[in-house]
Structure formats: C-alpha cells, structure tokens
Amino acid sequence: MNDSVFHRLYDQYHQDVFQFLVYLVKDRHVAEDLMHEVYVRVLRAYDRFQGKSSEKTWLFSIAKNVAIDHFRKTAVRKKHSMDFFDWETQQLVSAERIPEEVSLLNEDKIRLYQMLDLCTGDQKLVIIMRYFQDLSIAETAEVLEWSEGKVKTTQHRAIRSLRQKLLEAEGGGEYAE
C-alpha cells in the first residue's frame, strides 16, 4: 500500500470511523486508541482487499472487529477468566459514560442513547450504522456479513424495542402497533 492510498483512506473516512467507535465504546480516548488499531490493520490488509465491497464498508468491518476485540479483552481483564460471556447482550455494551458530545444533546436524544444500551448488541450495531453513520441496508449487511433481510429484520426489531423502552421509561405502558 502506498502512502497516497493510505492518506486518502484516512482523510476520507477517519471521521466516520472514529464517530462509529465513539458510539460503540463511549469513550473518546479509547476510540482514539482503537482508531490506531484500525489503521494498523488497514496497512496490513490492504494488499488483500479485493474491492468486493466499498472501501467504506471494508473500513467499518475492520472497526467493528477492533471494537469487538476491545470488548473481549476488557471482559477478560474484568473477569480474569472467560467462563461465560453472553455475546448477545454484552459484546457491545460499555460501562463507560455516554460520549461527551451527548451532553450537548436534548433530553430526548440522551434518553434514546441510554435506551440503545438496553438493546441487544446486534440491534445496537444496526441502529448506529443505519441512523448515526447513514450506511445503507446493503452497506450495513456487508459490514456485518449478514443478508439484507437480516439487517431489515434486526432494524425493525430494534426500532420496536427502542420505542417500547422509551414508552416504559416515560411511564406510558406498552406500545401497540
């Protein structure tokens, strides 16, 4: 990989990838460290990039894997052994505070971020990619290595779950479709 390709990739996508990592880990400093790891992996793997997906979805795939590796390492450090780890509920849930930028948001958005942490890991990933990072269904499917149908189903369930959690938090009972 030559320097100009690396610089182009970095200049074009670093902000989106960084925001994605901040949403996942909720810690700007950790996200910065993970960004370094993402671009180290990009340097190592670019020669094997075949162009079957866009560079953007390829970078998001790498970022997702780096974040998952971070959560694995964090879980191992906290538990000292990995006897049981529930990937469905724990893989993308950080004990850290919500990102600093959230303090600038209104109460509704803050509540939405809090409720998003109560969703499954898959639902959280889909909502972040689709609505915070503006990836299409096809791009999200590529990053997650899922079918487009699974992305649509997960998105629908995530929205329904978020709506229900927000109503319950407001004391409004159950949501009926």
Side-chain angles (χ1 to χ4, degrees):
M1 165 181 246
N2 66 41
D3 286 347
S4 64
V5 172
F6 179 81
H7 289 294
R8 180 184 55 78
L9 285 174
Y10 183 82
D11 290 342
Q12 193 167 355
Y13 300 113
H14 79 278
Q15 195 63 33
D16 290 336
V17 173
F18 179 69
Q19 287 177 338
F20 175 64
L21 290 169
V22 169
Y23 285 125
L24 290 179
V25 299
K26 295 190 194 73
D27 183 313
R28 194 173 188 80
H29 299 293
V30 171
E32 288 170 0
D33 291 341
L34 296 179
M35 274 291 288
H36 293 292
E37 178 62 25
V38 167
Y39 282 97
V40 165
R41 290 186 188 187
V42 166
L43 278 170
R44 289 182 186 152
Y46 191 78
D47 292 338
R48 294 187 307 273
F49 176 64
Q50 298 174 358
K52 291 180 181 176
S53 66
S54 71
E55 290 172 333
K56 182 177 182 177
T57 57
W58 181 65
L59 285 167
F60 272 84
S61 294
I62 293 171
K64 173 197 70 152
N65 291 332
V66 166
I68 288 171
D69 289 348
H70 164 74
F71 286 113
R72 283 181 186 151
K73 290 174 187 173
T74 302
V76 169
R77 285 185 198 124
K78 285 182 180 177
K79 294 182 181 184
H80 297 291
S81 70
M82 200 164 160
D83 297 332
F84 177 77
F85 193 75
D86 185 356
W87 287 103
E88 183 63 20
T89 59
Q90 295 180 21
Q91 76 174 355
L92 296 174
V93 176
S94 173
E96 302 297 324
R97 290 184 149 293
I98 294 174
E100 296 94 349
E101 293 85 3
V102 174
S103 64
L104 303 174
L105 299 175
N106 64 35
E107 281 185 35
D108 291 339
K109 288 185 181 177
I110 291 170
R111 193 166 30 256
L112 177 64
Y113 281 116
Q114 291 168 338
M115 296 300 114
L116 188 57
D117 270 344
L118 301 176
C119 291
T120 66
D122 288 349
Q123 291 173 347
K124 183 176 177 179
L125 266 177
V126 169
I127 293 297
I128 289 170
M129 288 181 185
R130 293 280 295 125
Y131 296 103
F132 298 132
Q133 297 301 315
D134 293 324
L135 295 182
S136 69
I137 287 174
E139 290 171 326
T140 302
E142 272 184 61
V143 170
L144 297 174
E145 298 174 351
W146 293 354
S147 69
E148 289 184 21
K150 182 174 180 180
V151 171
K152 290 176 185 177
T153 300
T154 304
Q155 176 181 310
H156 174 75
R157 290 178 180 160
I159 291 169
R160 189 175 61 210
S161 176
L162 279 171
R163 192 176 289 137
Q164 181 64 40
K165 289 173 188 341
L166 287 167
L167 281 172
E168 289 171 3
E170 294 171 1
E174 291 194 26
Y175 171 73
E177 284 190 46

